[in-house]
Amino acid sequence: MFTQNEILETIDMLDNRNLDVRTVTLSLSLADCIDSNAAKCQKKVYDKITRVAARLVPVCDELAARYGIKIVNKRIAVTPISVIGSASGDFVGLAKTLDRAGKNLGVDFIGGYSALVQKSATDKEAEFLKSIPEALSSTDIVCGSVNVASSRAGMNLDAIKTVGEGIKELAYLTRDNNSFGCGKLVVFCNAVDDNPFMAGAFTGFAEGESSVNVGVSGPGVVEYEINKHPDYDITKVCELIKRTAFKITRLGQLVGTEAAKALGLAPGIVDLSLAPTPAVGDSVARILESIGLSRVGSCGTTAALALLNDAVKKGGVMASARVGGLSGAFIPVSEDAGMIEAARSGDINIEKLEAMTAVCSVGLDMIAIPGDTPASVISALIADECAIGMINNKTTAVRVIPVYGKTVGDEVDFGGLFGTAPVMRVSLGDPSKFIDRGGIVPPPIHSFKN
């Protein structure tokens, strides 16, 4: 039960501190839709999605009106299409089916054009990887992901090379839209099965038939609370963040439970990830600065981010028995007003961002790089990030956009929540010999825990 003070405090967070439910994501298994006949498979997929998720958007709108809560996105995540489409072989046809179903329902995004190839890829999965540029460039709301590494399996350099080449092709195919097709693709190490956030959401094979996962976000709330107490030492700051995260997670628990009940589906997880937006007062970078940095990117940034991420997780876990997903702090460049400013001024670069990903929720996210960046450099950037995740047994990811026709110093406006991205410099030392070796980087010795 919520006390009167909690209710009033939550109302203030919603009205004045940019607290919102960033996403309600319906997770749906398509395992029973597999068919060797492409047309039949696509019909099964379309019919199941539109049947199970028919009331997703109306239910979210009803809850938003009832509780005065802003629900920013309504999304669907499905079983990796690399598996669902293997029998028929028509992966792009399935992508277009997902797009049509999602648009029919009025959802913002549908995720799951995905593959799990961290150890190796079947022949059909190899075909799937090559289909990604066409699939994501010919659809509007379909998002994809590829898990190319894990702490248990190692790192698949062959898949990383293919994906790097695919990102370049996708950038070209969507050049008339600032290469934004690449913004719908995430490359993971240690991907999780229950992530409600795009572009990386998919329904893992252990997730059951269907469920409702919720992502809550409130960077502005955390920043506000820290700024109220400039005299706190760092121990008290950590405790303050924990208490604030607890309150935010309670809101997600309420929305997730009510949405699942109304839809007749199983309640899933609450993902408490501090996911920023370009709006003023909704920035993870500003939280780090409120802790005591003059500008994000300065010395001390990684330490401040580490304590923030840890405190958020500790507070969230106490508020819900079903905290999952990624839960922590995202640091996308284009989607965070403070990060955009730091990138413009040169206070933050890709190397510093890479260091920060060792302690945050995901990785190199929504970063615009020059359009002429070689595919081998993109692949090597992915490999670097995967190494951090593999060795540290955490999820890491790369979502970079080589913007066709743009170079360092240019800016790209992706619009809406996706914000503005200064094109950032990438080291152009040639890693092609390393990437071309292919094979599997073995898992770290500490992965053998049996």
Side-chain angles (χ1 to χ4, degrees):
M1 296 292 294
F2 289 90
T3 67
Q4 183 176 4
N5 284 341
E6 282 183 305
I7 293 171
L8 292 174
E9 192 173 34
T10 301
I11 290 171
D12 180 62
M13 292 177 182
L14 292 166
D15 289 344
N16 303 311
R17 312 298 168 209
N18 291 308
L19 175 61
D20 58 47
V21 173
R22 187 58 49 87
T23 178
V24 174
T25 301
L26 191 156
S27 175
L28 180 62
S29 171
L30 298 181
D32 56 346
C33 298
I34 296 173
D35 199 297
S36 58
N37 182 291
K40 290 181 179 179
C41 179
Q42 291 164 25
K43 185 178 188 306
K44 289 179 183 179
V45 166
Y46 182 86
D47 289 348
K48 184 168 188 179
I49 292 173
T50 53
R51 173 174 54 83
V52 177
R55 297 185 59 245
L56 175 62
V57 172
V59 163
C60 289
D61 290 343
E62 290 167 13
L63 290 174
R66 184 192 310 169
Y67 294 111
I69 297 169
K70 184 178 181 181
I71 299 176
V72 180
N73 275 260
K74 299 89 174 177
R75 301 164 173 171
I76 299 170
V78 301
T79 314
I81 294 299
S82 61
V83 175
I84 304 306
S86 286
S88 69
D90 187 2
F91 298 112
V92 174
L94 279 171
K96 293 178 179 178
T97 299
L98 296 178
D99 201 54
R100 186 163 53 93
K103 288 176 177 176
N104 178 279
L105 295 169
V107 299
D108 297 281
F109 293 103
I110 182 162
Y113 200 79
S114 307
L116 309 177
V117 291
Q118 57 268 28
K119 190 170 186 179
S120 189
T122 65
D123 291 344
K124 287 295 183 180
E125 285 171 331
E127 289 179 21
F128 172 85
L129 295 182
K130 292 185 179 297
S131 76
I132 290 174
E134 181 182 355
L136 297 188
S137 65
S138 61
T139 56
D140 297 315
I141 63 172
V142 174
C143 293
S145 61
V146 184
N147 195 68
V148 296
S150 75
S151 297
R152 293 287 298 198
M155 186 191 309
N156 186 343
L157 274 188
D158 296 309
I160 289 173
K161 178 180 179 180
T162 300
V163 171
E165 294 167 347
I167 289 172
K168 280 285 289 186
E169 183 181 351
L170 181 55
Y172 178 77
L173 291 174
T174 56
R175 62 194 181 279
D176 293 336
N177 190 28
N178 288 322
S179 299
F180 188 69
C182 301
K184 300 192 297 170
L185 176 65
V186 180
V187 189
F188 278 116
C189 171
N190 292 321
V192 298
D193 290 351
D194 56 5
N195 167 26
F197 286 99
M198 298 297 172
F202 64 89
T203 295
F205 297 106
E207 289 300 294
E209 182 64 23
S210 58
S211 60
V212 177
N213 297 324
V214 175
V216 187
S217 186
V221 178
V222 177
E223 180 193 357
Y224 174 76
E225 292 298 324
I226 295 172
N227 285 335
K228 282 201 308 184
H229 302 282
D231 57 330
Y232 273 15
D233 68 19
I234 205 67
T235 306
K236 290 181 179 179
V237 168
C238 291
E239 190 63 29
L240 180 63
I241 295 170
K242 282 169 53 181
R243 293 200 304 269
T244 305
F246 177 88
K247 296 169 186 175
I248 294 171
T249 307
R250 293 258 282 173
L251 175 68
Q253 180 74 44
L254 170 67
V255 171
T257 300
E258 291 296 308
K261 181 179 178 181
L263 291 167
L265 303 177
I269 58 92
V270 178
D271 184 321
L272 175 63
S273 288
L274 296 179
T277 72
V280 175
D282 202 25
S283 163
V284 170
R286 299 300 186 216
I287 297 176
L288 303 180
E289 292 167 359
S290 71
I291 291 172
L293 306 174
S294 62
R295 177 68 62 83
V296 68
S298 67
C299 292
T301 297
T302 305
L305 181 58
L307 74 86
L308 171 65
N309 208 55
D310 183 64
V312 165
K313 290 176 185 289
K314 287 174 177 174
V317 165
M318 292 298 294
S320 172
R322 295 189 301 271
V323 170
L326 298 167
S327 289
F330 288 168
I331 52 170
V333 173
S334 76
E335 298 174 5
D336 185 310
M339 296 292 286
I340 294 168
E341 186 177 311
R344 282 174 178 159
S345 66
D347 286 293
I348 201 161
N349 54 35
I350 288 179
E351 289 75 19
K352 183 60 176 180
L353 286 166
E354 186 178 297
M356 294 166 66
T357 63
V359 299
C360 76
S361 281
V362 191
L364 299 173
D365 194 18
M366 287 302 292
I367 297 173
I369 61 176
D372 60 358
T373 304
S376 61
V377 171
I378 297 172
S379 293
L381 192 66
I382 292 168
D384 282 344
E385 194 60 34
C386 286
I388 291 174
M390 183 177 71
I391 297 298
N392 291 291
N393 198 30
K394 71 182 295 294
T395 302
T396 54
V398 174
R399 182 163 53 151
V400 295
I401 305 172
V403 186
Y404 188 82
K406 300 293 184 180
T407 190
V408 175
D410 293 336
E411 290 203 1
V412 187
D413 186 359
F414 296 125
L417 288 175
F418 300 110
T420 300
V423 178
M424 301 181 73
R425 182 195 64 83
V426 181
S427 175
L428 292 180
D430 185 7
S432 58
K433 185 175 181 180
F434 167 58
I435 297 299
D436 288 345
R437 285 181 182 274
I440 301 294
V441 176
I445 188 65
H446 57 68
S447 67
F448 298 103
K449 296 180 179 179
N450 290 338

